[in-house]
Amino acid sequence: MTTIADRVREARISAGLSQTSLAGSAFSPSYISLIEAGHREPTDSALAVLATRLGTTLEYLKHGEDGPNEARTRLEIDYAKLDMTQGDAAGARRRLESLDLEIVSPAVRVEALTTLAHAFEVLGDLESSVAILEPLLADSRARTHHVESAKLANELVASYLEAGDLHRSVEVGERTLDELESADLSGTDEHLRLASTVLWAYVERGDLLYATHRAAELVRLAESLGTPRGRGSVYWNAALVAEQRRDYELAQRYTERALALLSEGEADRDLPRLRLNYAWLLLRSDPVDPRGALDQIERAAPGLAVLGSELDLSRTDVERSRAYLLLGDIDAAERFAVAALERLGDPPRLETAFAQLSRGDALHARGDVVGAARAYESAADLLGMMSASRHSASAWRDLGDRYAMHGDSAAAAQAYDRALREAGFRPTIPLSTWETWSLT
């Protein structure tokens, strides 16, 4: 049980204030010292002044977490988290938006708003999620709460990644990592998890050589200092780098290590997402293992249904479609591809292009060449709206393979050219020059 003395001292240290600074002109430093030593019981009016300077509430300094406002708000946050685990992100959002966060301590306010940001992310509203996390991170930095900042930055980097803003993702992550390292927090779980998320931002941005170098450094750091959870995060992201280099054997080894490490911790979104990534690998390794992939997907599905976003669920359906197609179950392959498209809705997304490719593959296997061509054309139209990235380059490459399979060599060549361009390989000879050579 903490006392008023404990809470005043902890809040002062968290705020980065000396006893003299906290005293200001209203009190003497010795008075603050007596309060923190437990030798003086401050009046409510004195606590109100101290609470204002400490950025907290009178109730929290007086009663701690047992105060009625604190207890009531924490209970509502717990209910909101329960809503999330039951798949009701909209209900969690409504519950959290109804809270009065001006009457609770900063820690409770941060927890409530972080949970609200997560609810918006699950609902696919990344703009609202970022709008919450940005000021929270700025405030946490101003209070030099490094661990809290790392957790917030990790959420923000992931949101920017999912939204496709790779520059801001790297900028936020690197600045926070610098602050953690300056505070001698290298190798902590928060540092390793954030560094791992930033690593993926570099991959998405096309900085594969640097990402490979950074991944090796993080693996060494994690092995020497990291907890199982921190090491699991590093191995997972190192596996993603290996995937991009098409080293599927190394990616599989890293993923298996990450699964073993993360399975030891509490349930969260990391483990089912990692299982989904393992399924992706098993469907692209040589030889492919569709049954093993489906096993990983089925083990991931319950967790993703509760904690994942619509994008997570659509990716699950696309990989199911691919696995069933490899097993010869065309009906299931088409059903899951259509389910992914229904989840994604109308907004143009890269994931929708992959779902259209899966649907086209199922239609082609059924013998519906015309329907398959239409699905591939829809994928091409969507890809034309996307900003360049390694993922979009991969999708163009996949589309080129489909056109080649259909005998449309001109469309295949255009898709392969687009894949090269989006991967960063530009033509060295102007098109007009080629046309002149072909005429002569």
Side-chain angles (χ1 to χ4, degrees):
M1 295 291 291
T2 61
T3 64
I4 291 177
D6 296 328
R7 291 188 288 274
V8 170
R9 182 173 57 257
E10 290 168 4
R12 177 181 61 77
I13 293 170
S14 295
L17 298 174
S18 65
Q19 291 182 340
T20 301
S21 299
L22 178 57
S25 60
F27 310 107
S28 66
S30 60
Y31 179 67
I32 302 299
S33 178
L34 288 169
I35 292 174
E36 292 187 1
H39 298 318
R40 184 66 59 87
E41 184 80 15
T43 63
D44 283 358
S45 59
L47 279 177
V49 174
L50 294 175
T52 299
R53 293 181 178 176
L54 292 169
T56 187
T57 64
L58 183 155
E59 179 187 284
Y60 176 75
L61 292 180
K62 191 170 184 178
H63 302 290
E65 295 181 2
D66 296 328
N69 291 329
E70 293 278 315
R72 190 182 309 113
T73 304
R74 286 186 181 276
L75 181 62
E76 286 298 307
I77 295 171
D78 289 341
Y79 277 130
K81 290 179 179 178
L82 182 61
D83 288 339
M84 297 281 287
T85 62
Q86 295 175 342
D88 187 9
R93 183 203 66 202
R94 289 192 296 271
R95 186 185 297 276
L96 292 164
E97 287 180 331
S98 69
L99 296 176
D100 181 1
L101 299 180
E102 297 297 322
I103 60 173
V104 294
S105 61
V108 175
R109 179 176 177 274
V110 169
E111 184 180 1
L113 289 175
T114 304
T115 308
L116 178 58
H118 177 44
F120 276 121
E121 181 201 341
V122 171
L123 292 168
D125 188 351
L126 294 172
E127 292 80 4
S128 294
S129 178
V130 166
I132 292 171
L133 293 171
E134 279 281 12
L136 278 182
L137 179 57
D139 179 65
S140 183
R141 279 177 173 152
R143 292 185 285 116
T144 62
H145 282 207
H146 295 299
V147 172
E148 181 183 273
S149 294
K151 292 176 180 177
L152 291 168
N154 196 58
E155 294 289 332
L156 191 54
V157 167
S159 291
Y160 277 125
L161 258 172
E162 195 150 327
D165 191 343
L166 305 180
H167 176 76
R168 182 60 180 161
S169 185
V170 169
E171 181 183 38
V172 168
E174 288 291 7
R175 178 180 174 186
T176 309
L177 286 172
D178 286 344
E179 292 168 355
L180 288 171
E181 289 159 11
S182 297
D184 201 23
L185 292 171
S186 295
T188 60
D189 273 8
E190 291 74 19
H191 175 267
L192 291 173
R193 295 193 73 197
L194 178 57
S196 298
T197 308
V198 175
L199 182 68
W200 185 239
Y202 280 114
V203 172
E204 284 289 283
R205 207 168 70 171
D207 298 332
L208 194 55
L209 183 61
Y210 178 69
T212 302
H213 165 72
R214 186 80 169 262
E217 285 187 336
L218 283 175
V219 167
R220 287 194 293 270
L221 182 63
E223 283 300 327
S224 62
L225 297 174
T227 65
R229 184 175 183 79
R231 287 157 55 205
S233 297
V234 169
Y235 276 121
W236 181 3
N237 284 276
L240 295 175
V241 175
E243 280 176 24
Q244 291 299 308
R245 294 169 49 223
R246 299 292 190 267
D247 189 344
Y248 293 132
E249 183 179 348
L250 178 61
Q252 193 166 329
R253 288 204 306 270
Y254 278 156
T255 303
E256 288 167 354
R257 290 184 194 176
L259 276 172
L261 290 162
L262 293 178
S263 296
E264 300 175 13
E266 297 179 3
D268 61 13
R269 285 191 300 172
D270 285 351
L271 187 57
R273 279 178 166 175
L274 181 56
R275 291 195 183 282
L276 179 58
N277 188 69
Y278 193 29
W280 187 96
L281 273 173
L282 293 172
L283 292 173
R284 288 157 181 85
S285 298
D286 186 17
V288 295
D289 183 4
R291 293 195 184 281
L294 281 175
D295 175 64
Q296 291 297 326
I297 288 170
E298 296 313 315
R299 295 171 72 180
L304 292 175
V306 170
L307 299 170
S309 66
E310 286 298 306
L311 287 178
D312 289 325
L313 297 174
S314 70
R315 290 165 185 152
T316 304
D317 286 336
V318 167
E319 296 310 315
R320 275 188 175 126
S321 176
R322 182 184 289 268
Y324 278 115
L325 186 62
L326 289 169
L327 291 169
D329 190 339
I330 299 172
D331 290 339
E334 184 177 3
R335 183 171 70 253
F336 282 113
V338 170
L341 289 168
E342 290 174 349
R343 285 187 188 281
L344 292 164
D346 295 328
R349 298 178 187 271
L350 186 59
E351 289 76 14
T352 307
F354 282 114
Q356 287 287 9
L357 290 175
S358 292
R359 182 167 176 266
D361 292 344
L363 292 171
H364 179 78
R366 194 185 294 285
D368 185 355
V369 177
V370 174
R374 286 175 181 159
Y376 297 148
E377 287 170 8
S378 295
D381 290 341
L382 284 164
L383 289 172
M385 303 178 195
M386 303 289 107
S387 58
S389 69
R390 294 189 68 86
H391 273 316
S392 63
S394 175
W396 278 110
R397 164 62 196 270
D398 289 350
L399 183 57
D401 290 343
R402 270 68 168 193
Y403 281 134
M405 179 179 63
H406 277 258
D408 190 344
S409 56
Q414 289 178 351
Y416 290 143
D417 178 68
R418 187 65 179 265
L420 288 168
R421 289 170 181 266
E422 301 214 359
F425 296 94
R426 301 294 178 184
T428 57
I429 301 176
L431 180 60
S432 58
T433 304
W434 282 109
E435 291 172 347
T436 301
W437 286 0
S438 66
L439 290 174
T440 58

